[in-house]
Amino acid sequence: MIPAGPAGAHVRHWQRFTFTERVMRSLFYIVVLIGIVWSLQSIEIIPEFLYDAPQQTADLFVRMWPIDWGWYPKVVHAALMETLHTATLGTILAVAMATPVALLVARNVTRSVLLNSIGRFILVATRSVHAMIWALFFVAVFGPGALAGTLAIAVHSIGFTGKFLSEAIEEAKPGPIEALKAAGAPPLAVLIKGIWPQVKPAFLALAMFRWDINVRESAVLGLVGGGGLGMALDTALSNLYWDQAGLVLAVIFGIVIVAEIATSWARSRII
Amino acid sequence: MSMSAPAAKRVAFPPNWPARIGLIVLAVYVVYAATTLEFTWARFLTGLDQGGRFLSRMFPPDFSADKQSLLTAGMMESLQIAILSTVFGILFAMPLGLAAARNLSPAPLAWFSRGLIALLRTFHPVIVAILFVKAVGFGALAGVLALIVASMGFLSKLLAEAVEEMSMNQVEAVRATGASFLSVVVMAVVPQVMPRFVGFCAYQLDSNLRNSALVGLVGGGGIGATLFTAFQRFDYDFVLTIVLAIIAVVMVGEILSGFVRRLFQ
Amino acid sequence: MDASAPIKPPVDDAGVDRTLIIRSLTKAYRAGQPVLKNVSLKVEGRGMTAIIGPSGTGKSTLIRCINRLVDPTAGEILFLDQDIAKLNGRALRQMRRRIGMVFQEYNLVERLSVIENVLTGRLGYVPVWRAWLRRFKARDIERAFQLLDAVGLGALATQRADQLSGGQRQRVGIARALMQEPDLILADEPTSSLDPKTSVEIMELIAKRAGERDIPVIVNIHNVALARRFADRVVGMSKGEIVFDGPPRDLEDSHLLQIYGGEGWLE
């Protein structure tokens, strides 16, 4: 028997979790349960709407079919191109803006907790506000169109891109950086020749990954005036031309899949 | 080699043609695309001018009592949307994720489930929300349904991957006792996959909180609806209030979900 | 290989006094627990000085204080008419480019080519835009090729550094240090990650290439045999203090017992 502590006869139980852990978990379950009950009770659902939901859904698909392919060359093709440009330019801009912020956040580059925190706040703030909400802002400022959409995509992507970029920078090996410093290289040269070569693959992969996401995002920005396929969808919906809406949905479906295939192909080539 | 010899025709940096061509193509593309989208300095400058006026109308944010009650109502609804869509998303994702795991379920079922997951993931929550608004009308229900679809896609994909990565030894051991499929899942799969799955769910709650602001823009209820109305009424000081509130809630949500993830690690 | 012909140092380097004087150098990473205790050392402007001693005894800290990769807590480091301990910013960078360094883990930028790694030795001299666009001066590029020949890697110049073996990487590290046209070379355990045969080759290379240019070398090394074989002077350290200083032939077992033995390793 192990010499007992002040508690005297100390019986050891097999326990998977510590006491506090179990208390915290039980508390968590209770909170979750309360949250569900509260949500179910107070959420507003209008039953009348529910009764004809199956009918409405069926109606939706009936009206979509057959898809109005003739609308593609007239409007949708241009909208598709606009969406792709929005996604690509938005990603390039995002990467350009995220890089300085990422440098500000990376603790091995910026040795100031205050500046780190400022950068981190920029990342969280840009990411928390969705691209569509950013689009609302930029539409109010620049008027409806792809410019607003591109800026929305760019600003919203700063958070995601900057976060992963700063992590990649922090993972750069300190040895080569130290060697360049020891050779008397100025900070900018250390950045370009010591850190950038180490970060470059992650940077490219990140940009492509974000582009894939941004294709999806920019397809819907038009609903609030950000240009592209969303605009075409909005037109079709407000005119209640469901066969045209069906066409836009089909095109979005296609482009999302193509973007995913393209990025996974490019990634396998680069890395 | 003597000092007087020429550099012996050795090239220190042979030109990297693929990279150069890639850069040139990219530069040309950027110019072309920017021209097609009619990005001009003039537009940008008028925009900045407009932006200044816009910002001045946003400040100070409007915290008056009636706006506060609107804000609270919208936020509460968003929270409800997020909670319900996460809970039902988890419930539906569990069978779908198991069915899509190639090491547990028969091949045809696995492939069918994977196709379904891919379909669920292809469409942006906003588009799904539009369809549900048509099907069940304006309001929170459409938002909940749209986010359930998004949650199912995300969670079942990650669950399937987690199940495929787990060790099969324990599964075989439980199977060897003649247990039913359900007890195999409960005894062998759940203990291995649970911690990671809880992490995904916490992340999904987080992401649903953010997206609940989104579905409202197209009629899915919640704070997004409040925000859209404020925009349409040019109520920009209230817009700022709402956006700040969204940022605050999302940040608190991230902290909480990080906490939950640690709790179940 | 015909690369043995020495590359003459530029004329303006001739006649520089390369003596290094360290006075009362102290370094404490945590207050009250000094790793270096009041160390004073004068290194003549030629030849190889080996610092031996068990790990954790402050050898590496001492050598890193000299080029200020570590900031000393107190003391003076006099070199080329300046106190390195007091330098900052631009002045420090200009001093650092006069001091080459060879590292234990080579510290090459792995995704850059061998020749570009050598050319990073010029980063203290060339404008950043030149380095960025790889528009190094023709004279620098030619020198880099010659140095690669001198370390026996002329044929691998355009290969990526991560394709080299450890010994080859260290050769690149030496070429990089020489590329700085330094007045002093610091080598921090340059052979500790290498096999015995390669270790000898690397030490030979450092001694030869520095010797023909008359550059003084300070090398941290825990391998006593290598120190005896290549150094002109051995400095033994224990617990942050110098306990032996003299030519290798004076180094006796009693000294080694004092440096390594006793309870020193128990800490």
Side-chain angles (χ1 to χ4, degrees), chain A residues 161-173:
Chain A
T161 322
K163 177 170 182 273
F164 287 100
L165 194 55
S166 72
E167 282 169 12
I169 295 172
E170 284 184 349
E171 279 165 24
K173 285 194 214 156

Side-chain angles (χ1 to χ4, degrees), chain B residues 37-92:
Chain B
L37 300 187
E38 288 166 12
F39 294 178
T40 58
W41 262 121
R43 264 188 88 187
F44 193 71
L45 289 180
T46 33
L48 283 188
D49 198 37
Q50 179 80 14
R53 246 173 298 152
F54 184 70
L55 279 178
S56 69
R57 287 183 64 183
M58 282 171 71
F59 281 97
D62 186 349
F63 283 111
S64 59
D66 57 327
K67 292 293 158 63
Q68 267 190 38
S69 68
L70 269 178
L71 181 72
T72 324
M75 265 308 173
M76 286 300 140
E77 194 167 53
S78 269
L79 202 58
Q80 290 157 2
I81 293 175
I83 291 174
L84 289 180
S85 58
T86 311
V87 169
F88 285 103
I90 293 170
L91 286 182
F92 297 140

Side-chain angles (χ1 to χ4, degrees), chain C residues 26 49 85 90 93 97 107 150 236 239 266:
Chain C
T26 299
T49 304
R90 196 180 175 79
R93 289 202 297 274
R97 68 188 194 184
N107 288 358
K239 298 179 194 167
L266 280 175

